[in-house]
């Protein structure tokens, strides 16, 4: 990919989604790995789904950074990530059985918080049949982050390496959790503290070679002039502070999370690549002004089918719709995006017309800015601009000039509406199916 000049103070890059997740960030991270030495995940947990296709082989990761597919790189899971140890171990063993070595190259923060089965149960009881359900991935993410900021029940990964300490910490925590779970439902599953301690001490032992002070590791890497790539999970519109609260995830999925979730100060991030799909998708509940509910023969269903828009983690069908320039422009501003990567352009091939939402209408007023509140976004109606579609297969395009004129115009319009240059256009899942602009 074309490099943006950077001095040593701003040698880091961040790849971040500007929608509600699933923007195919993994492919951009994969393309950038050659120019970086370290890849860092700073937020989320096993709720993320990264699918990367390399040399015809598909890899699906939910917790590990995409960087692990390139063992030359150091892959880091920062303190801002929440770890479900069985999932971590499962992904490591999947990679190893696929012939990808995982050893010293993978470091996990001793300060990352740990997901326990009571987190999964708490989430299940809060989500099931509840009117307040968020439509989460069910991976214990929210309850674990709640315990982190609540401080009383949070347990960090490094604590799994100290047997006596863990047992003593878990006893009052599990007792408290059992009381809460029973209050949520008389049928709740409850837990035995000592059995959990044994189980998690076992995970700690297996993870020991990877557990370290990653903040120090990253500071050392910066001093040595290493180039660090931050890989955001989810999209900026799911950011707990800046997204469509409460229909968000529980971490700062925008680059706002880098500093707190890795210990690397923001001033070191010299390049932010905002990744957008050529359309929009969303999983779970929450406002989505450009959603297309136009039936089994409609455009929404067609995008879902052609784009294979089903959750990587949960398999849920994703809600699909037109590109929303209002929401994406807001996300780009929050993220501090310097440039854009437009993904899955090929999915729109074959449509007679394509549309972009350029403004909203709320209570008879035109809005050009994204409202900060989900209950207002819910009431916004999209104002569309339509453009001619294209019929030619573009999956073999490798240069801008290979794209049919309507496809180029569509991409130009995205750049114009977001006021950012488009540096990458993706026309298929493979690494090669990429246009660098
Ligand atoms: P949680 O992160 O599992 O708590 O889910 C909160 C919201 O974020 C739900 O709407 C999820 O569908 C959504 N979400 C979480 N992770 C992802 C992701 O990787 N892609 C898209 N949506 C996600």
């Amino acid at each position: 990919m074309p490099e943006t000049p950077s001095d040593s103070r701003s040698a880091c890059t961040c790849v971040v989604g500007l929608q509600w997740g699933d923007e195919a960030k993994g492919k951009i991270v994969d393309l950038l790995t050659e120019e970086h030495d370290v890849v860092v995940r700073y937020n989320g947990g096993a709720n993320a789904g990264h699918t990367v296709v390399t040399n015809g082989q598909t890899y699906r990761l939910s917790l590990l950074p995409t960087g692990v597919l390139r063992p030359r790189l150091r892959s880091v899971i920062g303190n801002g990530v929440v770890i479900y140890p069985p999932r971590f171990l499962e992904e490591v063993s999947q990679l190893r059985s696929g012939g990808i070595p995982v050893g010293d190259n993978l470091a996990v923060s001793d300060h990352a918080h740990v997901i326990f089965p009571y987190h999964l149960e708490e989430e299940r009881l809060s989500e099931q049949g509840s009117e307040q359900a968020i439509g989460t991935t069910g991976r214990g993410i929210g309850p674990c982050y709640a315990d982190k900021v609540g401080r009383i029940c949070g347990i960090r990964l490094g604590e799994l390496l100290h047997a006596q300490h863990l047992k003593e910490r878990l006893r009052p925590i599990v007792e408290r959790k059992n009381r809460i779970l029973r209050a949520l439902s008389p049928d709740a599953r409850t837990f035995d503290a000592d059995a959990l301690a044994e189980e998690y001490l076992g995970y700690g032992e297996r993870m020991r070679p990877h557990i370290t002070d990653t903040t120090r590791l990253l500071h050392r890497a910066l001093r040595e002039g290493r180039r660090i790539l931050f890989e955001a999970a989810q999209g900026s519109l799911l950011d707990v502070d800046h997204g469509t609260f409460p229909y968000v995830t529980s971490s700062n999925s925008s680059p706002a999370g880098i500093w707190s979730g890795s210990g690397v100060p923001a001033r070191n991030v010299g390049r932010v690549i905002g990744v957008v799909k050529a359309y929009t998708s969303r999983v779970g509940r929450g406002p989505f002004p450009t959603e297309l509910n136009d039936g089994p023969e409609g455009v929404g269903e067609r995008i879902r089918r052609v784009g294979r828009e089903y959750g990587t983690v949960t398999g849920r069908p994703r809600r699909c719709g037109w590109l929303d320039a209002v929401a994406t422009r807001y996300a780009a501003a929050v993220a501090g995006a310097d440039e854009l990567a437009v993904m899955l352009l090929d999915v729109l091939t074959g449509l007679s017309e394509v549309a972009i939402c350029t403004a909203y209408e709320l209570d008879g007023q035109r809005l050009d800015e994204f409202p900060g509140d989900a209950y207002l976004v819910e009431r916004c109606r999209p104002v569309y601009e339509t453009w001619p579609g294209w019929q030619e297969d573009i999956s073999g395009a490798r240069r801008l000039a290979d794209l049919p004129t309507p496809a180029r115009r569509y991409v130009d319009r995205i750049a114009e509406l977001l006021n950012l240059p488009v540096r990458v256009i993706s026309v298929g899942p493979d690494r090669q199916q990429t246009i660098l602009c």
Side-chain angles (χ1 to χ4, degrees):
M1 283 182 69
E3 275 189 69
T4 300
S6 53
D7 60 34
S8 60
R9 249 192 141 195
S10 55
C12 308
T13 305
C14 177
V15 173
V16 64
L18 299 185
Q19 292 155 318
W20 282 286
D22 309 313
E23 297 92 350
K25 299 177 286 293
K27 175 169 171 175
I28 300 299
V29 171
D30 193 49
L31 287 170
L32 283 163
T33 48
E34 270 149 39
E35 348 171 326
H36 289 86
D37 308 297
V38 184
V39 179
V40 184
R41 257 197 74 174
Y42 60 87
N43 78 297
N47 51 348
H50 286 297
T51 308
V52 183
V53 183
T54 306
N55 300 329
Q57 184 114 15
T58 305
Y59 298 94
R60 288 199 175 82
L61 301 170
S62 63
L63 178 57
L64 302 186
T66 311
V68 288
L69 298 172
R70 316 242 163 242
R72 174 192 74 76
L73 293 168
R74 176 137 271 213
S75 287
V76 174
I77 300 182
N79 58 282
V81 176
V82 286
I83 310 285
Y84 186 49
R87 183 66 203 162
F88 175 94
L89 294 165
E90 201 180 310
E91 289 190 14
V92 167
S93 84
Q94 265 174 33
L95 288 167
R96 285 187 182 141
S97 48
I100 295 178
V102 184
D104 285 356
N105 57 315
L106 176 61
V108 193
S109 171
D110 53 355
H111 287 179
H113 277 249
V114 180
I115 297 176
F116 284 86
Y118 47 74
H119 291 128
L120 303 176
E121 182 66 355
E122 199 176 328
E123 183 168 1
R124 186 181 72 83
L125 296 172
S126 310
E127 285 282 295
Q128 255 184 15
S130 161
E131 283 205 351
Q132 290 158 310
I134 288 162
T136 66
T137 58
R139 298 294 168 107
I141 307 295
C144 183
Y145 277 116
D147 279 347
K148 171 178 166 169
V149 294
R151 296 157 301 167
I152 294 166
C153 297
I155 293 186
R156 292 164 149 191
L157 198 57
E159 294 178 79
L160 305 193
L161 303 178
H162 301 280
Q164 197 51 34
H165 164 81
L166 185 69
K167 284 180 190 162
E168 283 166 17
R169 279 227 58 213
L170 267 175
R171 279 182 202 131
I173 290 174
V174 173
E175 197 187 306
R176 185 185 169 103
K177 288 288 174 190
N178 284 342
R179 273 188 276 132
I180 293 170
L181 291 171
R182 275 193 223 101
L184 285 172
S185 163
D187 303 323
R189 196 179 152 209
T190 51
F191 299 88
D192 178 79
D194 289 343
L196 268 188
E198 280 312 317
E199 183 185 340
Y200 273 67
L201 285 169
Y203 297 143
E205 251 346 283
R206 291 172 62 196
M207 292 178 71
R208 188 184 283 275
H210 304 286
I211 301 174
T212 189
D213 178 346
T214 53
T215 303
R216 211 151 43 161
L217 182 156
L218 292 171
H219 290 170
R220 201 165 45 233
L222 285 173
R223 278 198 304 276
E224 290 168 357
R226 308 253 179 247
R227 295 155 306 172
I228 303 177
L229 179 61
F230 290 94
E231 168 178 338
Q234 291 87 45
S236 296
L237 294 172
L238 286 173
D239 186 289
V240 65
D241 285 289
H242 302 289
T244 46
F245 188 87
Y247 302 103
V248 290
T249 192
S250 298
S251 64
N252 285 117
S253 47
S254 71
I258 293 179
W259 198 335
S260 58
S262 74
V264 173
R267 66 161 188 253
N268 292 92
V269 183
R271 183 184 185 192
V272 176
I273 303 174
V275 187
V276 291
K277 271 178 181 162
Y279 49 92
T280 311
S281 72
R282 173 163 205 166
V283 234
R285 291 181 59 194
F288 180 177
T290 62
E291 181 171 14
L292 288 166
N293 281 316
D294 49 358
E297 302 300 320
V299 174
E301 183 52 42
R302 185 197 157 108
I303 291 177
R304 184 175 306 118
R305 183 170 35 81
V306 180
R308 286 184 226 102
E309 292 293 352
Y310 293 88
T312 318
V313 172
T314 59
R316 289 180 290 178
R318 294 182 186 140
R319 300 156 63 192
C320 296
W322 295 121
L323 186 78
D324 181 341
V326 183
T328 311
R329 197 161 45 218
Y330 162 78
V334 165
D338 298 298
E339 58 192 90
L340 298 173
V342 176
M343 314 303 286
L344 293 129
L345 184 65
D346 53 302
V347 172
L348 299 184
T349 300
L351 296 172
S352 54
E353 272 187 339
V354 286
I356 308 182
C357 165
T358 53
Y360 295 155
E361 213 180 86
L362 177 64
D363 299 334
Q365 305 271 335
R366 186 189 155 98
L367 279 188
D368 294 304
E369 307 253 331
F370 190 68
D373 295 289
Y375 56 87
L376 291 177
V377 182
E378 227 142 47
R379 294 173 40 224
C380 288
R381 299 279 154 264
V383 177
Y384 287 120
E385 183 178 278
T386 50
W387 291 78
W390 57 94
Q391 309 308 314
E392 302 87 333
D393 176 7
I394 59 169
S395 61
R398 298 293 176 267
R399 296 168 309 144
L400 258 185
D402 297 338
L403 287 180
T405 309
R408 282 183 67 172
R409 280 215 194 105
Y410 182 68
V411 173
D412 286 347
R413 188 63 183 138
I414 295 173
E416 212 170 79
L417 286 165
L418 301 187
N419 199 21
L420 287 170
V422 172
R423 296 268 183 240
V424 179
I425 302 168
S426 177
V427 291
D430 203 87
R431 234 172 179 250
Q432 317 303 326
Q433 294 177 293
T434 308
I435 299 170
L436 304 178
C437 320

